[in-house]
Amino acid sequence: MSAPPPPRSTVVGFVGLGAMGAGMATNMLGKIAAGGRLEPYQALFFDVRPGVAAAMAELAPNKASVAEDAAHVARESDLLLLSLPNDKVVQSFIADNLEHLRKGAVVIDTSTTNPQAAKDVASKLESHGNPFLDAPVTGAPARATAGTLTIMVGGEESVLEQARPILETFTDRIVHVGAVGNGQLS
């Protein structure tokens, strides 16, 4: 009788490695690579600039890889973080990749959008079986790099608790502000 296969890693997809996303992703990856309670996590990066995602993954090649395309990161992620320029880009990413998302994968939007956009995205995702948190970050790129952002989270508290270990990798304060959309109001 053969041994059971090793447990599958929890894949954290990260889309958007711009001014804020790069600092957040660097902190997240550093803490995943350090192990401890984050040992079972693997990072999967995607950016429209492939060289940026590749450079990020090279920081910890045993704990990170680069997605071939947006559909790949959607398909493989258990937690999917978005750090995108605006609500139109977020909505477009979700519309283009909804069919690829793994059922049950949690989508966390750290972008600054508007409350109605967050609610619309949540509705689409929830109808597909994907929980959603609107979790905009406050602070400048320097705070993203330092890992001292504040996150105002709208969404189910149980979903926040599921995502908390990853969110804590790039923030020093997480504030749950109620339902989806409220994160954007804060």
Side-chain angles (χ1 to χ4, degrees):
M1 185 166 175
S2 63
R8 182 181 173 281
S9 293
T10 300
V11 177
V12 182
F14 202 110
V15 177
L17 300 169
M20 296 298 284
M24 294 160 54
T26 300
N27 280 298
M28 180 188 80
L29 182 56
K31 291 177 181 163
I32 287 173
R37 71 184 181 129
L38 299 177
E39 180 62 34
Y41 291 87
Q42 291 281 328
L44 180 63
F45 296 111
F46 177 75
D47 194 275
V48 293
R49 303 159 300 158
V52 174
M56 185 65 65
E58 287 174 12
L59 296 175
N62 61 327
K63 293 301 260 178
S65 57
V66 179
E68 299 164 7
D69 54 28
H72 179 205
V73 75
R75 188 172 47 255
E76 295 298 323
S77 297
D78 299 296
L79 294 171
L80 179 60
L81 288 117
L82 306 177
S83 180
L84 299 170
N86 58 53
D87 54 86
K88 289 183 182 9
V89 178
V90 171
Q91 290 171 319
S92 177
F93 180 87
I94 296 301
D96 293 346
N97 294 288
L98 186 62
E99 68 182 287
H100 303 293
L101 279 170
R102 174 179 289 174
K103 298 281 188 214
V106 176
V107 178
I108 306 158
D109 182 19
T110 66
S111 314
T112 299
T113 64
N114 68 66
Q116 190 56 53
K119 291 175 185 177
D120 293 346
V121 166
S123 178
K124 285 181 183 163
L125 288 167
E126 288 168 4
S127 70
H128 189 261
N130 298 95
F132 177 74
L133 297 174
D134 81 289
V137 296
T138 62
R143 285 188 56 205
T145 300
T148 59
L149 294 169
T150 296
I151 303 176
M152 309 306 267
V153 181
E156 295 289 328
E157 192 162 354
S158 62
V159 177
L160 169 58
E161 292 312 310
Q162 185 179 351
R164 185 178 292 276
I166 290 299
L167 296 177
E168 288 176 340
T169 65
F170 54 82
T171 184
D172 62 358
R173 186 164 182 228
I174 299 171
V175 180
H176 184 239
V177 293
V180 167
N182 288 348
Q184 297 298 334
L185 289 172
S186 303

